């Protein structure tokens, strides 16, 4: 059975909408102060630069890319694990693990503390799993 590429893209974009909505709440309300303090400790102008329209567009775009990739992973593993939420969680956990491990370099370089990293990783886990779930519910393959 082949992957339904059109559905991967459309379901992935829907997943990206969910991810962007969660990230907006997290970064605007829940972690705004913590993130600003961490950025200001590196460079006082860094948190201001992150609020520009070009930076915001990049962050939004990244969530859409993550949405498409997590649905693609779901579509790839679906034949082996079956359709549904359990497989969506596996896809979300896989992508989250890669993303979180990649971001761990910021701690290794001394840019952020483990507590900053862990707060971000925990909230991104929620974001990734929610996006994976929504994307998986919308993804279908021809019968």
């Amino acid at each position: 059975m082949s992957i339904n590429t059109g559905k991967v893209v459309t379901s992935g974009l829907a997943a990206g909408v969910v991810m962007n909505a969660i990230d907006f709440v997290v970064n605007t309300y829940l972690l705004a102060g913590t993130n600003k303090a961490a950025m200001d400790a590196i460079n006082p102008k860094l948190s201001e630069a992150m609020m520009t329209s070009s930076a915001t567009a990049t962050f939004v775009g990244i969530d859409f890319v993550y949405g498409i990739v997590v649905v693609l992973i779901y579509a790839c593993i679906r034949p082996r694990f079956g359709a549904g939420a359990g497989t969506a969680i596996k896809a979300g956990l896989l992508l989250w693990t890669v993303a979180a491990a990649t971001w761990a370099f910021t701690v290794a370089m001394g840019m952020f503390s483990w507590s900053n990293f862990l707060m971000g990783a925990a909230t991104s886990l929620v974001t990734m799993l929610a996006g994976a779930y929504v994307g998986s519910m919308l993804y279908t393959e021809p019968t």
Side-chain angles (χ1 to χ4, degrees):
M1 186 175 297
S2 64
I3 292 174
N4 187 339
T5 307
K7 278 291 196 176
V8 166
V9 172
T10 57
S11 301
L13 291 174
V17 168
V18 170
M19 294 168 140
N20 273 296
I22 294 170
D23 277 348
F24 174 78
V25 170
V26 166
N27 293 310
T28 303
Y29 301 107
L30 300 178
L31 296 181
T34 303
N35 289 343
K36 182 175 178 356
M39 293 292 135
D40 286 346
I42 297 168
N43 178 343
K45 295 184 179 186
L46 194 55
S47 62
E48 184 180 308
M50 289 180 57
M51 300 306 289
T52 64
S53 57
S54 63
T56 301
T58 301
F59 298 139
V60 168
I62 289 169
D63 273 350
F64 283 117
V65 169
Y66 276 153
I68 292 169
V69 171
V70 78
V71 173
L72 178 60
I73 292 169
Y74 172 79
C76 289
I77 67 174
R78 184 178 175 212
R80 180 165 302 251
F81 295 107
T87 302
I89 289 170
K90 288 174 180 73
L93 284 173
L94 175 61
L95 185 56
W96 174 81
T97 300
V98 172
T102 302
W103 272 100
F105 80 90
T106 61
V107 177
M109 293 185 337
M111 293 173 65
F112 299 107
S113 67
W114 277 110
S115 63
N116 285 92
F117 170 78
L118 292 174
M119 284 188 289
T123 58
S124 70
L125 177 60
V126 172
T127 302
M128 193 68 69
L129 293 180
Y133 177 76
V134 168
S136 73
M137 294 301 108
L138 298 174
Y139 177 80
T140 57
E141 292 178 348
T143 56

